């Protein structure tokens, strides 16, 4: 600390707090709290150092200003006083991100609670005029308003201004907040190198490194690209080399196809010429055949005239033969009719004889039936005589009928009663189902409560299942967890119950007897290893304990009930809650209560109060006797939102029991009715069987009498219907004699008709002989004529065929000419073959056979070249062009690669040599620091591959015991204190090399042992207070006694507490000269 003679220091309180628990920072600052360029102190600040920090409504501060010194600034204060708030102000005031601090992710969270906005103002030293940055943070929209030197600005402009001053709040080597201390050791070697380059290296070093990484990335890309293109080029050349043979074969095939095409063009011309010659020959043959047919036709005329003369003679003869034939047919028809008439007379005699035979048979049958009927009547009469001695069964039948009517009436009565019972049962079942549905709804609500218990506390749920199966093991009452047995009457009030009763008690089992609880806990906790809670109800019930005052006396404050009246629970559970949590004496209020909460606390003297959404706890200080209240927001209910009306549930169970009993009574009555119905059915069947038997006895006698009477009537009819056979025989003989006379007349007519038919047949034979002579002569003439006609027809047919062939050949010639012209692409009407084709045709065969043979041969040769297409040649030519383009492109990429390699070599030389020198300087200081602590440490530049510039990193290796080897600093190998010492010494190694204007380290000494802390503190003081270092902020909640201090240090003490003096009454001189001031800090403050 500087003495008063060396440097004027006037302590000045620059904290203005309006709350009882206020904070203040005691800095060493000028009286007016500002710096000017003419101030002597300004000359000791480096460009970008912090001159002033002003905080308004920021975290713990209402208003505070901090004036740090140019070298080491020790910010000291107890935990929670606001030391880290200054670090947050530096970060956020210089446009740092909230993620750097590791606290809240929103900037609005850094505004003091209850305020709508806050601000941070930082004044930075700048040779051309100080830079004042102001950031005003608004809570409502989480936005910030920026100002630089009193003018509105943007965050981007602030970031640019901060960057120009070499300030890097995101670099852990420069800015190490409390929440990020542990992350320094977690930084990889690569991250540490980049942070070191940014912090202490020349401005161009990190840029060279980035250029090298970019060049190396592009070099790898170009190397891969060149390799890919070279491989692709080689493959393309190999593929073209392989395809070269296919291309040659394709050209050979093309020559064969061209020859085939030329043969196809010549073939129609050869076919046309062949067809034309054939047409001329056919024309000549046709004319000759026409002359032959004409001479044959003239030679047939005399024969035709003779044939015509014979036809004239044959016509009258044929007409006469037709007339004779008709008459013969008529005579034959007449003979046939007479013969049929004679056959009918024979049949008529047979019918007369058959009718007589039928009458004889019928009379024999009648006599036989008469005998059988008489014997049957005698048998029936004997049966009737035998039944005369049996009694009359009619009275018995009447008695049975009476009994049957009575049974039917009883069955009808039972059916009506069963229908009434079924209706009653349907109504009772409907009521039972309705009640069961309501019961299921209640059970579903209980199941949902139980499901919440199972998902949140599975061990407790397992214990509930065990208890349900083993209730017989306990003597007294045992209740399941309170959250299952407590029933909140209104789900809106569940939040009060859950806020008042801890979760551990809500999931606790309640026992009436101590031994039952011990037995239960031994089983489920000791044996089953389940984590459960249990409580025992008080021996004397407190469930009905009255409150300290009636609720009516509190209604003026908005209270409407005590907690106990908001829910139902078993007596033992309610007794425990009244005894343990005084639920009978904790009132619940409304918004009205909240609006007058100060009056309620002052006048009601209540210790715990619930409003609509908050819980208030009121205490009285044992020292000052002041009333202290705290409030907390009520959380939404999680377990007791499901409300079940206990009275409704009990009433529902009673209704269910009554409904089940009613259904059972109806079932019993229906069963009795069904049994009575079965008995009646059985008796009815027995009576009907008896009635049937009696009816059969009574009807049998009547049937016998009726059958005897019927048979006697039938016998009389058969005796009256007899036939006189003698008269029938005489009548038959008379009829036969008459028919024989008719037969004789018919035979005479048949003989006459046959004689007439014979005479006509002889006349027809004579005419036929005459006709046969003429016909033979005609046949001979016609044969001669046919011979001449056949030759004529052959001549005419030959002429016709030749004429048709001529027409066909003419059309063929035209088609062949048209086809040949089309194939040769000749103009319409052009008939002369072009000269170029005639020359080509002259080298080809002239006959169709030779052309076909050559076509077959050429096609066979072309077909040998399979798997070839024009695309092969196209791809070959295309690939040849691509190969040339790729060779050119590969040459360009290779040149570019060589250029990049040259750039890399130059950039590497500019970057690596200064970097190695820088690392050596850091290593020298780091090793010296560790050596002064009787430990060892070294820093080196590490890279597995010299050409992989993105893999370069700084490796820190340390050892704190002589018996061990150097080990790399990692988050796991060293202890927390060792990591803190290593981190601090590395940062101090950068201090003299640092090109950044200030460095911040927050509570890094927390994990150190006193020996290491003292050593590190000495190193920090010595290094940070040297003449050529930048500003340094060291935040710590405590310091060891008898530390070594330097005059260049500035100590900033942060105070807070309920008895802080107002800012206008604080006297720093009086505080420094106070006998209570520690000796070690008495020189300055």
């Amino acid at each position: 600390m500087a003495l008063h003679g060396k440097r004027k220091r006037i302590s000045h309180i620059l904290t203005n707090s309006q709350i009882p628990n206020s904070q203040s920072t005691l800095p060493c600052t000028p009286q007016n709290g500002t710096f000017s360029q003419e101030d002597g102190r300004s000359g000791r600040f480096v460009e970008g150092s912090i001159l002033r920090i002003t905080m308004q409504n920021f975290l713990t501060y209402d208003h505070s200003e901090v004036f740090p010194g140019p070298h080491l600034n020790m910010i000291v204060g107890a935990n929670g006083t606001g030391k880290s708030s200054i670090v947050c102000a530096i970060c956020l005031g210089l446009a740092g991100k909230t993620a750097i601090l590791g606290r809240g992710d929103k900037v609005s969270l850094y505004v003091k609670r209850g305020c709508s906005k806050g601000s941070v103002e930082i004044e930075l030293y700048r040779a051309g005029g100080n830079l004042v940055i102001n950031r005003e943070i608004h809570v409502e929209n989480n936005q910030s308003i920026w100002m630089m030197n009193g003018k509105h600005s943007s965050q981007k402009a602030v970031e640019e201004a901060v960057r120009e001053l070499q300030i890097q709040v995101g670099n852990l080597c420069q800015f190490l907040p409390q929440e990020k201390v542990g992350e320094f050791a977690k930084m990889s070697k690569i991250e540490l190198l980049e942070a070191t380059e940014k912090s202490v290296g020349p401005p161009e070093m990190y840029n060279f490194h980035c250029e090298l990484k970019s060049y190396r990335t592009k070099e790898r890309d170009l190397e891969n690209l060149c390799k890919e293109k070279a491989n692709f080029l080689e493959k393309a050349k190999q593929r073209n080399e392989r395809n070269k043979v296919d291309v040659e074969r394709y050209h050979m095939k093309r020559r064969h196809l061209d020859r085939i095409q030329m043969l196809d063009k010549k073939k129609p011309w050869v076919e046309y010429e062949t067809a034309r010659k054939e047409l001329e020959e056919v024309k000549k043959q046709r004319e000759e055949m026409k002359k032959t047919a004409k001479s044959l036709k003239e030679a047939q005329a005399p024969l035709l005239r003779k044939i015509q003369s014979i036809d004239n003679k044959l016509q009258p003869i044929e007409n006469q033969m037709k007339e004779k034939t008709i008459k013969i047919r008529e005579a034959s028809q007449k003979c046939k009719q007479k013969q049929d008439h004679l056959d009918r007379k024979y049949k008529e005699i047979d019918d007369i004889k058959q009718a007589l035979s039928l009458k004889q048979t019928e009379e024999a049958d009648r006599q036989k039936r008469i005998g059988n009927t008489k014997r049957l009547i005698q048998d029936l009469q004997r049966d009737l005589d035998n039944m005369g001695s049996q009694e009359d069964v009619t009275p018995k039948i009447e008695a049975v009928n009476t009994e049957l009517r009575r049974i039917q009436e009883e069955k009808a009565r039972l059916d009506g009663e069963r229908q009434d019972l079924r209706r009653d049962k349907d109504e009772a079942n409907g009521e039972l189902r309705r009640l069961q549905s309501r019961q299921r709804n209640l059970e579903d609500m209980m199941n949902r409560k139980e499901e919440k218990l199972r998902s949140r506390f599975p061990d407790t749920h397992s214990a509930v299942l065990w208890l349900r199966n083993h209730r017989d093991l306990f003597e007294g009452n045992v209740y399941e967890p309170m959250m299952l047995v407590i029933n909140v009457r209104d789900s809106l009030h569940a939040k009060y119950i859950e806020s008042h009763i801890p979760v551990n008690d809500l999931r606790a089992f309640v026992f009436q007897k101590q031994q039952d609880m011990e037995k239960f806990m031994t089983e489920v906790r000791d044996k089953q290893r389940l984590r459960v809670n249990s409580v025992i109800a008080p021996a004397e019930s407190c469930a009905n304990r009255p409150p300290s005052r009636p609720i009516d006396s509190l209604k003026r404050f908005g209270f409407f009930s005590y907690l106990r009246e908001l829910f139902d629970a078993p007596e033992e559970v309610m007794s425990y809650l009244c005894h343990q949590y005084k639920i009978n004496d904790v009132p619940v209020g409304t918004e009205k209560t909240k609006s007058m909460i100060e009056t309620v606390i002052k006048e009601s003297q209540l210790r715990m109060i619930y409003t609509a959404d908050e819980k208030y706890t009121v205490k009285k200080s044992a020292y000052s006797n002041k009333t202290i209240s705290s409030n907390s927001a009520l959380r939404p209910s999680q377990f007791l939102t499901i409300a079940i009306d206990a009275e409704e549930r009990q009433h529902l169970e009673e209704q269910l029991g009554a409904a089940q009993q009613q259904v059972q009574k109806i079932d019993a009555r229906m069963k009795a009715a069904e049994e009575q119905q079965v008995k009646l059915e059985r008796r009815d069947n027995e009576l009907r069987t008896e009635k049937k038997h009696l009816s059969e006895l009574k009807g049998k006698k009547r049937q016998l009498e009726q059958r005897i009477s019927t048979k006697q009537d039938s016998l009389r009819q058969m005796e009256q219907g007899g036939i006189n056979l003698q008269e029938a025989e005489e009548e038959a003989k008379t009829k036969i004699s008459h028919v024989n006379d008719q037969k004789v007349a018919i035979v005479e007519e048949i003989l006459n008709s046959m004689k007439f038919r014979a005479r006509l047949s002889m006349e027809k034979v004579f005419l036929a002989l005459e006709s046969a002579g003429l016909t033979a002569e005609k046949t001979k003439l016609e044969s001669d004529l046919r011979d001449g006609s056949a030759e004529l027809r052959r001549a005419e047919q030959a002429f016709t065929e030749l004429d048709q062939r001529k027409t066909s050949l003419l059309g063929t010639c035209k088609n062949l000419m048209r086809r040949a012209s089309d194939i040769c692409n000749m103009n319409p009407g052009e008939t002369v073959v072009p000269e170029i084709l005639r020359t080509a045709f002259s080298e080809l065969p002239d006959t169709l056979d030779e052309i076909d043979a050559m076509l077959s041969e050429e096609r066979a040769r072309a077909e040998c070249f399979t798997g070839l297409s024009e695309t092969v040649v196209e791809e070959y030519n295309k690939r040849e062009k691509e190969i040339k383009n790729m060779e050119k492109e590969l040459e360009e990429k290779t040149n570019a690669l060589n250029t990049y390699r040259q750039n890399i070599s130059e950039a590497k030389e500019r970057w690596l040599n200064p970097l190695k020198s820088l690392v050596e300087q850091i290593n020298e200081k780091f090793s010296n620091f560790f050596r002064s602590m009787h430990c060892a440490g070294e820093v080196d530049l590490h890279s597995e591959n010299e050409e992989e510039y993105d893999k370069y990193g700084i490796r820190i290796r340390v050892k704190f015991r002589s018996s061990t080897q150097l080990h790399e600093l990692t988050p796991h190998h060293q202890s927390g204190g060792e990591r803190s010492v290593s981190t601090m010494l590395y940062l101090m190694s950068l201090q003299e090399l640092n090109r950044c204007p200030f460095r911040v380290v927050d509570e890094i000494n927390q994990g150190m042992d006193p020996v290491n802390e003292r050593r590190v503190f000495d190193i920090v003081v010595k290094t940070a207070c040297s003449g050529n270092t930048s500003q340094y902020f060291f935040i710590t909640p405590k310091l060891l006694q008898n530390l070594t201090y330097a005059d260049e240090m500035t100590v900033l003490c942060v105070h807070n507490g309920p008895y802080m003096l107002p800012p206008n009454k604080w006297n720093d001189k009086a505080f420094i000269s106070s006998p209570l001031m520690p000796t070690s800090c008495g020189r300055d403050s």
Side-chain angles (χ1 to χ4, degrees), residues 356-373:
L356 177 60
S357 177
L358 289 173
K359 288 180 179 180
Q360 292 172 347
T361 304
E362 183 180 353
E363 180 62 20
D365 291 340
R366 186 180 67 84
Q367 293 298 330
K368 185 176 179 180
R369 288 198 304 276
I370 290 172
N372 292 334
T373 303

Side-chain angles (χ1 to χ4, degrees), residues 209 510 1023:
H209 191 185
V510 182
T1023 305

Side-chain angles (χ1 to χ4, degrees), residues 146 173 355 374 402 675 700 709 898:
W146 295 88
C173 290
K374 288 180 178 180
T402 301
E675 292 176 353
K700 190 173 183 181
S709 175
N898 294 332

Side-chain angles (χ1 to χ4, degrees), residues 636-734:
S637 175
Q638 300 182 24
F639 307 108
L640 303 178
T641 52
I642 301 173
I644 301 174
D645 191 337
E647 294 181 0
E648 180 187 0
R649 186 177 182 183
Q650 183 178 358
H651 181 61
L652 180 60
E653 290 176 352
E654 293 174 357
Q655 288 181 322
L656 271 172
Q660 290 172 348
Q661 291 178 0
Q662 179 67 15
V663 171
Q664 291 173 359
K665 289 179 182 179
I666 294 173
D667 287 340
R669 291 177 61 188
M670 289 184 69
K671 184 177 181 182
E674 289 176 356
E675 292 176 353
Q676 184 66 21
Q677 181 79 8
V678 171
K679 292 179 181 178
L680 290 174
E681 290 288 347
R682 191 182 303 115
R683 179 60 181 162
D684 184 87
N685 292 335
E686 292 174 354
L687 290 174
R688 290 185 183 277
T689 303
E690 183 179 358
K691 180 181 177 181
K692 181 179 180 182
H693 177 67
L694 295 174
S695 297
E696 288 177 352
L697 290 177
K698 182 179 179 181
K700 190 173 183 181
K701 183 177 181 180
R702 187 183 304 112
Q703 289 176 358
L704 288 173
E705 292 175 349
Q706 289 177 353
R707 289 185 67 187
I708 291 172
S709 175
T710 302
K711 294 300 178 181
Q712 287 176 347
D713 292 341
S714 178
L715 179 61
R716 284 193 294 271
Q717 290 177 0
M718 286 188 293
E719 288 177 346
Q720 292 175 1
I723 299 175
N724 190 344
L725 293 178
Q726 187 175 1
E727 291 180 359
E729 289 176 355
E730 290 297 332
E731 183 180 358
K733 288 180 180 178
T734 301

